[in-house]
Amino acid sequence: MCKIIHNSQANGTLSRKTYFQKEKRLIFRQLSGTETIKNGETCPFSILFAYLCSMKLLIIDDNVAVLRSLKLVLNGVFDQVVTMSNPQLLPALLSNNDVDAVLLDMNFNAQKLDGSEGLLWLELIKKRDNPPAVVMITAFGDVPLAVEAMKRGAEDFITKPWDNDELIEKLHKAIAKRDRNMEEQRLMAEAHIIKEREKDQESMTLEELKAQHIKRIIKEANGNLTLAAERLGINRQTLYNQMKKF
């Protein structure tokens, strides 16, 4: 059972995931050591584990022994750990968009060990909207292949045999990297919308701008024309007359 050992200020009525998503920027700064928490600690492991405890991890490897070992290591870290040996089930398991990270093996066929299967499934994962973070699992000699996987969108890779602490740290950093990238994309999209809106406003006439302003005030007043007129500093009849123009 996953335990949160840090005395956080999370509201007991919120789920762990909701709380940590809300506070993730602060958590990232604390984990990177750029900000201290109230009790003076910097980058405490307790916050790291509490954050990961609110996450869902999917592990895909054709070696049952590897799956068992990874689940044993990560069961007390992640809130949910799902293992499977057949990558064909990936689309179904990702359909709910509730997976935060995927540990993905590079090879699933003993007759074909060139990593092409792992790269194929990686591309399938990363084509999704809001894809999970992906950490590739590879044999020591396949490091160049794992680097290629990172060029194709994987956040990181881990070699067999792995170090448990390093594995947990890499998963955390992969999720943080994924979240930062998603936040950057969101901000870029918002900036584009604002830029296009400003461009449209530049080409609008004075009357069009005036009509847009009136419509916005009426919407903010929930359609209450008396209230909208008060906010516009005009009487109700004048507002009616203005509305007839658009």
Side-chain angles (χ1 to χ4, degrees):
M1 185 66 181
C2 193
K3 296 181 179 179
I4 298 179
I5 57 176
H6 180 260
N7 184 24
S8 71
Q9 62 243 46
N11 187 324
T13 61
L14 295 176
S15 69
R16 285 175 297 181
K17 187 164 185 175
T18 300
Y19 171 71
F20 285 111
Q21 284 178 336
K22 185 178 179 182
E23 300 295 331
K24 66 183 177 183
R25 291 181 186 172
L26 174 60
I27 292 169
F28 291 156
R29 292 198 297 270
Q30 291 172 349
L31 287 168
S32 64
T34 59
E35 185 167 332
T36 58
I37 56 176
K38 289 183 178 180
N39 61 9
E41 295 178 78
T42 301
C43 193
F45 267 102
S46 53
I47 291 184
L48 167 58
F49 280 112
Y51 181 64
L52 291 179
C53 273
S54 68
M55 298 289 181
K56 181 177 180 178
L57 173 68
L58 178 59
I59 307 173
I60 313 166
D61 197 299
D62 62 340
N63 189 320
V64 177
V66 169
L67 291 177
R68 287 174 182 165
S69 181
L70 286 169
K71 188 162 188 175
L72 184 65
V73 170
L74 299 169
N75 243 350
V77 178
F78 283 80
D79 191 45
Q80 295 183 65
V81 178
V82 178
T83 61
M84 67 175 185
S85 57
N86 183 3
Q88 300 288 340
L89 298 174
L90 247 175
L93 290 171
L94 294 176
S95 62
N96 290 331
N97 293 320
D98 61 347
V99 175
D100 298 284
V102 177
L103 260 178
L104 178 65
D105 192 18
M106 294 292 296
N107 298 296
F108 295 93
N109 188 336
Q111 309 301 320
K112 192 176 183 181
L113 301 175
D114 60 357
S116 58
E117 283 186 290
L119 294 176
L120 175 68
W121 290 112
L122 169 65
E123 290 179 4
L124 182 145
I125 294 170
K126 289 302 181 180
K127 283 180 181 178
R128 299 182 62 84
D129 292 332
N130 301 323
V134 178
V135 175
M136 308 301 292
I137 310 172
T138 183
F140 182 75
D142 289 336
V143 170
L145 185 60
V147 172
E148 175 62 26
M150 290 182 67
K151 291 179 181 178
R152 300 193 187 194
E155 274 73 19
D156 209 336
F157 68 92
I158 192 84
T159 58
K160 301 175 185 176
W162 61 84
D163 175 83
N164 291 341
D165 291 336
E166 181 186 15
L167 172 61
I168 293 170
E169 182 181 3
K170 286 197 173 210
L171 284 168
H172 155 69
K173 288 183 176 179
I175 294 170
K177 181 179 178 181
R178 186 279 309 259
D179 286 352
R180 284 196 303 271
N181 289 339
M182 288 176 60
E183 179 70 6
E184 288 173 3
Q185 291 174 11
R186 184 187 67 79
L187 292 174
M188 287 177 64
E190 287 184 358
H192 177 73
I193 292 172
I194 292 171
K195 186 175 181 180
E196 289 299 313
R197 189 180 297 154
E198 290 175 346
K199 189 186 297 184
D200 291 340
Q201 288 179 342
E202 287 175 2
S203 62
M204 293 173 71
T205 66
L206 183 61
E207 285 301 314
E208 288 173 333
L209 286 170
K210 186 177 180 180
Q212 184 185 67
H213 177 64
I214 291 173
K215 288 178 181 178
R216 180 174 60 81
I217 296 299
I218 292 173
K219 184 177 180 180
E220 289 176 357
N222 295 318
N224 187 323
L225 298 183
T226 300
L227 179 59
E230 289 178 1
R231 292 180 178 179
L232 289 165
I234 58 179
N235 59 45
R236 188 182 174 98
Q237 185 59 51
T238 302
L239 177 56
Y240 272 129
N241 294 338
Q242 292 292 335
M243 290 173 63
K244 291 177 182 179
K245 298 178 182 180
F246 53 82

